[in-house]
Amino acid sequence: MMQIRVLFTFLFIFAFSYSQDITQTIKGKVVDESSQESLPFATIIIMDSDPVIGTTSDIDGNFSLENVPIGRYNLKISYLGYEPIIKPEVVVTSSKEVVLTIALKENAYSLDEIVIKPKVIKEMPINKMATVSARMLSIEEANRYAGGFDDPARLASSFPGVASSIGNNAIVIRGNAPKYLQWKIEGVEMPNPNHFADLATFGGGGLTALSSNLLANSDFFTGAFPAEYNNALSGVFDIQMRNGNSSEFEHSIEVGAIGIDFASEGPLSKRNNSSYLVNYRYSALGLIAPLLPENAQGTDYQDLSFKIKLPTKKAGLFSLWGIGLIDKSGNKPETDVENQNYYQDIEKQNVKQFMGAFGVNHRLTVENSAYVNSTLAISANGIDQKTDRLDNSLQLHPQNEINNTYYNIVFKSFLNKKFSSKHTNRTGLVIRGMNYGLSLKENDNTNNLATVVSENGFSTLISAYSSSLFYFKNWQINAGLNTQLFTLNNNFTIEPRLGLSYRLNENNKISFGYGLHSRIEPLNIYFANTVNSTLPQANKDLDFSKAHHLVLAYDWNISEKLHLKIEPYFQYLYNIPVVENSTNSLLNLHNDWFVNDAYVNNGKGQNYGIDLTLEQYINNGFYYLISASVFDSKYKTDIDVWYNTRFNKNYLFNALAGKEFRIGKNKKNLFGVNLRMSVQGGDRYSVIDQTNSTLEQDVVYNEITPFTEQTKTSFVTHFTINYEWYKKKTTQKLSLKILNATNYKEFLGHRYNIKTNKVDEYREALIVPNISYKISF
């Protein structure tokens, strides 16, 4: 540890003393927001530059600003007949050209009807069909924000209505279970793209497999999604990969405590602007092993992702993309009787996981301001887990086995048509074929494994949608319809979507969003060998779980760099699978693989609350984001009594701030300090049934009145320090990122103490530090 400190100090001093006048290029393309057609002769200016640095786009909409000094800039982009915008916080470094795609909205009214000033677009989602509960995920912010850890999910936990934990990146959105979140990559629904996915919590993992080196700015939705989104109840991550630089080769290498990261990009052919981008990461977590749980052994991971852009003259734009990960984890049993306190101490577990996806995308511009976007993708993921437990004579006996594999093939295509400056429509189809091989076995208390699920088969989820965007002076209307068909049981749903937005004046806007949404359950639920039913697989006919989302929103641009947003919301969930005459609802499913109860679609739920965001964009190097949420999350079964859900924390508060300093010779080097403080309501759990726990020699909860208990409020702090220094064609960066800097002991449930025959609350103080060095060239 001392050697790391010395190295860090030496590099910092060396970098501080070295700097020179260095410039870089900002380039890109200006397009129509609705049709994606090029906009020639648009004006691009770096604001507050003296002398003024600016240019115009060429006949194909391309532009280039050369010899731009390194720093952080705001760009103003304008075009006759279109609404001008300000693109803020464009970071220019010495090692990489800045490549931008800038979309402008056509002004639906003549200039004498309305005066339009440039708008800062930072708070707006990329998908213009979204009206409420949507935000752009900035990759630069994921790198900069404390607690972001270069992870989209951890970055999203800074936003209102989003609860998170330290040990994994699963997120609870407005009281909904993490399993209701959908991940999309390049517009296609994907398996959970996290390392160690679904081990601690369904829907989450330990670390993201999505490297920030490869990602473009993307969208994050928390309610009332546009019509093109199906099979999601709580939220959607709509992740996009960026294109590689088509004119210059650029590379980066990062070495840190949690792994090694290598990225490369550049032109395949400068004649047709084709390019590649690839990223590979590997880690054995060796340097931070002392900070991991004591029984974690042999934990390592690796991932690979890439994107290839292949433009053609007449056949459109082709893109090839892919992502893959391999994980290995496990623990060894404790053989010393003195250290055998819980069942987890005497268990041997080995887990192997994989996930991969490959896709081909084609976008073809057709006549009359329209384009067709189509993708064919395949994905695969699986888990192989085996758990054994020591008996009193130190002999291992099987406890459970999981051997699940999934292979999906997805075809999606949509036609985007701009009929006029006032109307754009998007209509599409998504077909997702799901092949599965499921095997789950659990100990039947006789040291034998009983089969919970054993199934091989193929099912299809089909979705069709149409959505239109209308502009009427101060009004914006998004209206659409989505349909879904699940061929396993031929259940069908029709889901209307609506978004309304009214601009009160230049700085104030009110909005409303409504959507009916649905989601299928994890496939093993449908094929469970049910025990409380006369049917062997009673869950096969389960319908979609559904939810009505209603959201109001108020946006106030207090100043050009200060924005306030308030969103009250209400969600009514129904058709939720529950066990008859019990309090058991899949609304609370957390991490139990071995579910073999028979369910019926009689459950309901409701989430309501208010989200608040106050954000100052970077101004003189300083920024902050304050988010707060107050909410209530309830559910009921056929007993017809409302109970707290497992995820009803009641309140969330985040305060995130940072300051950048330009230091060194000529004030060109960058030193940044970032801090995040998070306060969350406690975790919910049911009263411990101590008598039955002693009889069963395991944790038994009183489920007659579930989730009445709540742990104390959590207070967690994250900390990030970045230092960048520049040479011609190279950027070097030192970072220290710490999750849980205050050593908060996170609640991880209850464990049965085999020595005292009592149930103990189990907490763990997990500090995750990552000191890293990165060079880009």
Side-chain angles (χ1 to χ4, degrees), residues 144-430:
R144 170 164 45 97
Y145 282 6
F149 231 62
D150 303 335
D151 184 334
R154 292 188 186 275
L155 171 64
S157 67
S158 301
F159 304 150
V162 183
S164 64
S165 60
I166 303 166
N168 69 82
N169 65 2
I171 56 174
V172 173
I173 300 174
R174 293 176 172 174
N176 290 288
K179 72 185 181 81
Y180 289 138
L181 173 70
Q182 183 192 88
W183 289 90
K184 295 175 82 78
I185 299 178
E186 291 291 291
V188 177
E189 182 174 358
M190 285 289 118
N192 187 338
N194 290 299
H195 291 286
F196 317 112
D198 301 326
L199 293 183
T201 304
F202 295 143
L207 301 161
T208 181
L210 301 166
S211 171
S212 60
N213 288 322
L214 190 112
L215 297 183
N217 290 342
S218 305
D219 280 339
F220 175 59
F221 300 89
T222 57
F225 329 126
E228 65 190 85
Y229 297 97
N230 71 304
N231 198 36
L233 277 188
S234 66
V236 178
F237 275 113
D238 193 356
I239 302 296
Q240 301 295 321
M241 295 181 175
R242 67 182 181 89
N243 293 316
N245 195 327
S246 59
S247 60
E248 299 289 338
F249 289 99
E250 298 169 343
H251 319 282
S252 68
I253 300 173
E254 184 172 10
V255 180
I258 66 171
I260 300 171
D261 191 310
F262 171 75
S264 178
E265 62 183 288
L268 293 174
S269 171
K270 292 187 179 181
R271 295 180 185 176
N272 62 3
N273 289 322
S274 61
S275 66
Y276 77 91
L277 174 60
V278 63
N279 191 94
Y280 173 75
R281 296 188 301 178
Y282 174 79
S283 176
L285 300 178
L287 293 179
I288 62 170
L291 301 170
L292 296 175
E294 293 182 1
N295 60 354
Q297 303 290 331
T299 300
D300 61 57
Y301 68 85
Q302 52 187 314
D303 58 62
L304 173 72
S305 48
F306 69 90
K307 186 174 183 181
I308 298 173
K309 181 182 74 170
L310 299 171
T312 66
K313 289 184 178 180
K314 296 183 178 181
L317 174 64
F318 289 88
S319 298
L320 310 178
W321 55 269
I323 181 174
L325 66 85
I326 299 175
D327 299 332
K328 183 179 72 173
S329 61
N331 57 269
K332 296 179 180 179
E334 179 60 62
T335 56
D336 186 347
V337 176
E338 293 299 318
N339 296 323
Q340 294 178 350
N341 297 309
Y342 306 108
Y343 288 125
Q344 290 80 359
D345 297 329
I346 57 174
E347 289 181 345
K348 175 185 177 182
Q349 186 176 78
N350 290 304
V351 185
K352 295 180 181 179
Q353 295 174 273
F354 71 91
M355 177 266 177
F358 172 77
V360 180
N361 175 262
H362 177 232
R363 192 179 75 190
L364 178 65
T365 300
V366 294
E367 294 182 356
N368 300 321
S369 300
Y371 66 91
V372 177
N373 190 309
S374 302
T375 299
L376 179 64
I378 57 174
S379 68
N381 64 296
I383 178 172
D384 184 358
Q385 174 180 305
K386 184 177 181 181
T387 306
D388 299 318
R389 182 179 292 176
L390 291 175
D391 62 15
N392 292 332
S393 59
L394 300 182
Q395 298 297 311
L396 287 170
H397 299 280
Q399 281 300 113
N400 58 64
E401 289 183 4
I402 303 173
N403 192 347
N404 291 350
T405 55
Y406 306 86
Y407 298 94
N408 297 333
I409 181 167
V410 181
F411 173 76
K412 79 160 186 90
S413 184
F414 66 82
L415 171 66
N416 193 98
K417 167 66 175 174
K418 180 181 178 182
F419 290 97
S420 70
S421 61
K422 300 179 182 180
H423 178 208
T424 299
N425 177 268
R426 180 174 294 180
T427 299
L429 174 71
V430 182

Side-chain angles (χ1 to χ4, degrees), residues 451-749:
T451 298
V452 177
V453 176
S454 179
E455 187 73 24
N456 294 277
F458 185 90
S459 301
T460 305
L461 184 64
I462 303 171
S463 174
Y465 64 89
S466 185
S467 182
S468 280
L469 172 60
F470 301 94
Y471 294 106
F472 300 103
K473 206 166 187 177
N474 293 327
W475 285 92
Q476 177 178 317
I477 302 175
N478 294 299
L481 196 70
N482 186 289
T483 63
Q484 282 198 106
L485 171 67
F486 189 30
T487 62
L488 174 67
N489 46 34
N490 290 322
N491 281 314
F492 179 76
T493 177
I494 300 176
E495 303 168 5
R497 314 285 171 85
L498 177 65
L500 303 173
S501 178
Y502 179 73
R503 186 164 294 279
L504 300 170
N505 51 46
E506 287 182 7
N507 299 314
N508 294 269
K509 181 178 70 173
I510 56 174
S511 305
F512 167 78
Y514 164 76
L516 174 59
H517 306 280
S518 63
R519 185 167 174 85
I520 61 174
E521 294 296 333
L523 290 178
N524 60 285
I525 299 294
Y526 296 97
F527 301 111
N529 296 325
T530 46
V531 295
N532 55 341
S533 172
T534 57
L535 299 175
Q537 292 182 332
N539 297 330
K540 246 187 176 181
D541 291 327
L542 284 176
D543 201 353
F544 294 96
S545 296
K546 298 182 180 182
H548 293 286
H549 288 198
L550 294 100
V551 183
L552 289 173
Y554 170 67
D555 287 88
W556 179 20
N557 291 319
I558 301 172
S559 69
E560 191 175 273
K561 295 187 177 181
L562 184 62
H563 179 252
L564 172 69
K565 186 164 191 171
I566 301 173
E567 280 198 338
Y569 63 88
F570 178 78
Q571 299 176 354
Y572 179 75
L573 298 91
Y574 66 102
N575 263 26
I576 306 299
V578 296
V579 176
E580 291 183 296
N581 300 314
S582 79
T583 61
N584 185 334
S585 171
L586 288 184
L587 206 66
N588 299 304
L589 186 62
H590 181 48
N591 58 4
D592 186 3
W593 288 91
F594 306 100
V595 176
N596 58 357
D597 292 304
Y599 289 89
V600 293
N601 290 106
N602 290 338
K604 293 179 173 59
Q606 61 181 28
N607 304 313
Y608 57 90
I610 185 168
D611 294 341
L612 180 147
T613 307
L614 180 64
E615 181 174 12
Q616 177 177 292
Y617 313 141
I618 285 187
N619 187 17
N620 295 322
F622 177 71
Y623 72 91
Y624 62 81
L625 171 68
I626 297 173
S627 66
S629 302
V630 179
F631 65 96
D632 198 34
S633 179
K634 292 290 202 303
Y635 82 100
K636 68 177 180 179
T637 64
D638 54 1
I639 296 177
D640 205 30
V641 176
W642 288 103
Y643 305 105
N644 291 306
T645 68
R646 179 191 297 274
F647 309 102
N648 189 16
K649 290 178 176 288
N650 293 125
Y651 55 89
L652 308 168
F653 176 81
N654 286 284
L656 188 149
K659 174 67 176 176
E660 292 182 345
F661 303 89
R662 291 289 174 178
I663 59 178
K665 188 178 180 180
N666 299 325
K667 303 294 183 181
K668 293 296 184 182
N669 295 343
L670 181 67
F671 178 70
V673 179
N674 307 274
L675 177 68
R676 174 184 163 191
M677 294 179 290
S678 177
V679 178
Q680 297 186 158
D683 292 293
R684 292 280 178 177
Y685 65 94
S686 303
V687 173
I688 304 295
D689 187 335
Q690 189 62 58
T691 300
N692 283 318
S693 294
T694 302
L695 292 174
E696 298 289 335
Q697 293 192 320
D698 204 349
V699 180
V700 177
Y701 296 99
N702 180 358
E703 300 294 358
I704 297 176
T705 54
F707 305 114
T708 56
E709 309 303 300
Q710 190 171 20
T711 61
K712 294 181 179 179
T713 299
S714 68
F715 181 85
V716 180
T717 301
H718 309 301
F719 188 66
T720 296
I721 299 176
N722 295 313
Y723 183 70
E724 283 188 352
W725 67 100
Y726 311 98
K727 297 180 182 180
K728 191 174 183 180
K729 300 295 184 180
T730 65
T731 299
Q732 299 177 73
K733 181 178 180 180
L734 280 171
S735 297
L736 176 62
K737 301 179 180 181
I738 302 177
L739 294 180
N740 193 23
T742 49
N743 199 31
Y744 172 75
K745 290 186 176 182
E746 186 174 33
F747 174 73
L748 297 177

